Amino acid sequence: MTDELKEKIYEYLATHYYLNLATVSPEGKPMAHTMAYVSENATVYFATNKDTRKVRNITNNPDVAYTVDEDEPDWFGMQALQVEGKASIVTDEGDLRRVGEIMTAKFPITADMPPDPYTILIKVEPEVVYFLDYSVEFWYRAKVDF
């Protein structure tokens, strides 16, 4: 079941566009950030300005959480992901190029955007993922450790 569930998680991430990232400020205050993202299996990547609060928060504390969901008015059809993981700044040139290609494939508009020296790439590697699927049964939530 775990391999099948992991495949569902990979597919869910690949077919959605936005996540809601939770970070914690150095003062201990929670913050939520809506981000466009791309994924490789269960690892997600997003670009952001290097001077944002989320980057300061991640630099101070790499523990993050995020959700990916959809606006489903039918409660019994709801699916979502709840993810806990570690965030880091991507610096490897090969990784930057590879993920840039993935980003351009998912978001073609990025191919026309000029390079920005203030933009960095963040990677979030999951530690645990909860897959919610209320079509199985109300409150259904399956856990996968990574």
Side-chain angles (χ1 to χ4, degrees):
M1 176 63 177
T2 300
D3 288 340
E4 181 181 322
L5 190 52
K6 282 184 177 183
E7 287 300 322
K8 283 184 177 182
I9 291 166
Y10 304 159
E11 178 68 19
Y12 196 89
L13 286 169
T15 58
H16 288 77
Y17 297 92
Y18 301 98
L19 58 77
N20 303 296
L21 178 74
T23 63
V24 179
S25 75
E27 299 78 32
K29 299 207 181 261
M31 298 178 151
H33 320 266
T34 301
M35 301 297 307
Y37 73 91
V38 297
S39 60
E40 282 185 309
N41 295 326
T43 300
V44 300
Y45 299 87
F46 56 85
T48 190
N49 184 289
K50 68 180 183 175
D51 295 323
T52 61
R53 293 184 301 171
K54 74 180 113 353
V55 171
R56 284 194 300 275
N57 294 351
I58 288 168
T59 302
N60 183 62
N61 179 355
D63 293 321
V64 298
Y66 69 85
T67 60
V68 178
D69 53 36
E70 51 211 66
D71 291 332
E72 171 59 60
D74 175 10
W75 285 4
F76 297 98
M78 194 219 20
Q79 290 185 329
L81 298 179
Q82 299 171 329
V83 182
E84 300 168 16
K86 296 273 188 206
S88 61
I89 298 170
V90 178
T91 57
D92 179 80
E93 288 297 323
D95 290 343
L96 290 168
R97 274 192 300 281
R98 187 185 78 259
V99 175
E101 291 172 4
I102 296 168
M103 195 162 290
T104 300
K106 187 171 184 178
F107 299 102
I109 192 170
T110 61
D112 298 327
M113 297 174 77
D116 181 349
Y118 298 103
T119 298
I120 62 171
L121 188 67
I122 302 289
K123 169 173 69 173
V124 179
E125 296 177 284
E127 294 178 330
V128 62
V129 177
Y130 296 94
F131 185 79
L132 286 69
D133 187 351
Y134 288 12
S135 69
V136 173
E137 69 179 345
F138 199 65
W139 300 114
Y140 175 84
R141 185 173 91 151
K143 178 183 177 186
V144 178
D145 292 309
F146 281 85

